[in-house]
Amino acid sequence: MACGGKGETSETSSGEQPELSENNPTVLPSKPVPVFDADSAMDILKAQVEFGPRVPNTSAHKACAEYLIRELKKWTSGVIVQDANVVAYTGEGLKIRNIMGQIHPNRTDRIMLFAHWDSRPFADRGNPGKGKPVLGADDGASGVAVLLEIARAIARDSSGGPAPGIDIVLFDAEDFGDAGGAPETYCLGSQYWAKNRPLPISSRYGILLDMVGAKDAVFYQEGASVTFAPHVVQKVWSAAHKLGYGNYFKMAQLNGPITDDHYFINTLANIPSIDIINYDPTRPMGFPGHWHTENDNLENIDPATLKAVGQTILQVLYEEPVLGRELEP
Ligand code: AHN
Ligand code: ZN
């Protein structure tokens, strides 16, 4: 029989709702993306640098943690601090603090944004700076500044912000590692966090910001990011290009992974994560010239770079569809 009987169609008509998923999201009218305020981000960057190097076990480190907790409390709905003791490769015991602020903590679909807030205890190069603590205007403070400014922009947005819940996690002791030594000597805060999760939250994906403040910064598609979270690389780089930031976000992949917090978040916490990091394979060291030197100071920071990264991340967050059945408060 060529034709079906009356009432038969090829479509299901049971009235069942299809399962919502990333391929089948609830489509809501998109909200305007807030403007990322680079001047405000600069103020947050400077406030960190003014404490001095944020090296674990120092008073500057302690005071900066209090500042970050205070700021995150203003712009998020809940702050969770994970205090821990870890042992550095030098044998020194470090008192560390991983600091997390949650936006819409009850939503099940979540995205994690992270950066490290400590700065390196000893410069690797430079005369006379070698061996001295690094100020970390770029290497540390820049990523934190962009994340706090994103939190502030969302808090001020009367539309309620992006659909997913957001977890902003500031990791400690990323940079207390052995130059030329084992990768595991770095990223002590994120490794501890991944092995001792303070909350049973799951994240759909993660984005790490590391060294996102320098003049002439360039962000290639980093190796571990492409391996573990190619769809997130694609999403972020295409948002950046759409906004006109293609001069920062290069459409080319780096060979091999960079050891950074996202590596451990991928491998130990199983959250597909990318790293936006200033590394150019055509430079002598890949990293910028001020990297791990006494010159990692405000002179090398350009608010235009903070803007390119912050506006791109806001765009990505606001483009995310609703994946849950409804928006929890
Ligand atoms: C290493 O130097 C092994 N990795 C670079 C990760 C890093 C250091 N990011 C900031 N500081
Ligand atoms: Zn570093």
Side-chain angles (χ1 to χ4, degrees):
M1 201 161 62
C3 299
K6 212 166 82 171
E8 279 185 34
T9 74
S10 59
E11 288 164 25
T12 55
S13 54
S14 62
E16 265 177 63
Q17 288 289 101
E19 190 64 27
L20 292 165
S21 70
E22 192 154 10
N23 296 326
N24 186 22
T26 301
V27 178
L28 292 182
S30 59
K31 296 172 176 179
V33 181
V35 173
F36 182 88
D37 184 339
D39 293 333
S40 174
M42 265 312 280
D43 290 342
I44 301 169
L45 191 155
K46 285 180 188 156
Q48 296 169 77
V49 166
E50 277 165 15
F51 289 108
R54 283 83 62 215
V55 174
N57 299 351
T58 65
S59 57
H61 180 268
K62 191 163 188 270
C64 186
E66 281 155 18
Y67 162 76
L68 296 172
I69 292 165
R70 204 162 58 234
E71 289 302 302
L72 269 180
K73 280 186 176 161
K74 285 191 213 163
W75 313 121
T76 68
S77 328
V79 176
I80 292 155
V81 181
Q82 181 180 51
D83 286 298
N85 294 294
V86 297
V87 180
Y89 79 95
T90 54
E92 191 179 342
L94 308 179
K95 275 185 68 172
I96 65 163
R97 313 193 89 180
N98 294 324
I99 302 166
M100 173 162 91
Q102 295 196 289
I103 299 169
H104 295 305
N106 298 326
R107 293 192 186 164
T108 51
D109 179 40
R110 310 197 64 74
I111 293 167
M112 174 166 156
L113 305 176
F114 52 114
H116 76 93
W117 72 269
D118 63 304
S119 63
R120 185 157 179 77
F122 19 68
D124 299 337
R125 281 166 292 106
N127 191 3
K130 188 173 175 190
K132 295 207 186 117
V134 175
L135 195 52
D138 192 21
D139 192 357
S142 67
V144 171
V146 171
L147 293 188
L148 290 188
E149 181 53 28
I150 285 171
R152 199 181 77 97
I154 294 172
R156 287 150 49 95
D157 177 6
S158 55
S159 83
I166 312 288
D167 299 302
I168 291 177
V169 187
L170 309 179
F171 289 121
D172 204 349
E174 186 272 344
D175 230 348
F176 214 113
D178 185 4
E184 299 76 26
T185 61
Y186 287 86
C187 307
L188 300 179
S190 57
Q191 292 190 67
Y192 183 89
W193 186 91
K195 291 172 184 163
N196 305 275
R197 297 283 294 265
L199 278 182
I201 50 165
S202 67
S203 304
R204 185 145 55 88
Y205 63 83
I207 300 175
L208 166 61
L209 306 184
D210 193 5
M211 299 193 266
V212 293
K215 261 190 293 284
D216 307 321
V218 284
F219 310 115
Y220 282 75
Q221 302 180 342
E222 180 275 335
S225 310
V226 172
T227 300
F228 290 105
H231 59 295
V232 184
V233 171
Q234 167 62 31
K235 212 186 273 242
V236 170
W237 263 253
S238 70
H241 279 246
K242 187 164 87 181
L243 295 174
Y245 298 129
N247 48 336
Y248 295 100
F249 287 80
K250 301 293 182 191
M251 285 293 182
Q253 296 181 7
L254 294 180
N255 292 321
I258 294 175
T259 300
D260 209 345
D261 290 319
H262 74 309
Y263 182 80
F264 297 101
I265 297 306
N266 274 302
T267 57
L268 301 177
N270 287 313
I271 300 169
S273 297
I274 69 160
D275 191 5
I276 300 177
I277 185 163
N278 182 3
Y279 184 100
D280 183 340
T282 69
R283 293 184 193 131
M285 271 183 320
F287 293 113
H290 57 267
W291 177 65
H292 289 186
T293 73
E294 63 182 332
N295 298 323
D296 185 358
N297 55 34
L298 292 175
E299 282 170 35
N300 287 302
I301 301 296
D302 184 353
T305 308
L306 303 174
K307 169 78 180 178
V309 175
Q311 197 65 62
T312 296
I313 301 302
L314 280 171
Q315 183 74 29
V316 167
L317 298 177
Y318 277 74
E319 279 180 4
E320 286 295 348
V322 178
L323 294 189
R325 290 221 168 260
E326 65 200 85
L327 287 181
E328 302 285 341

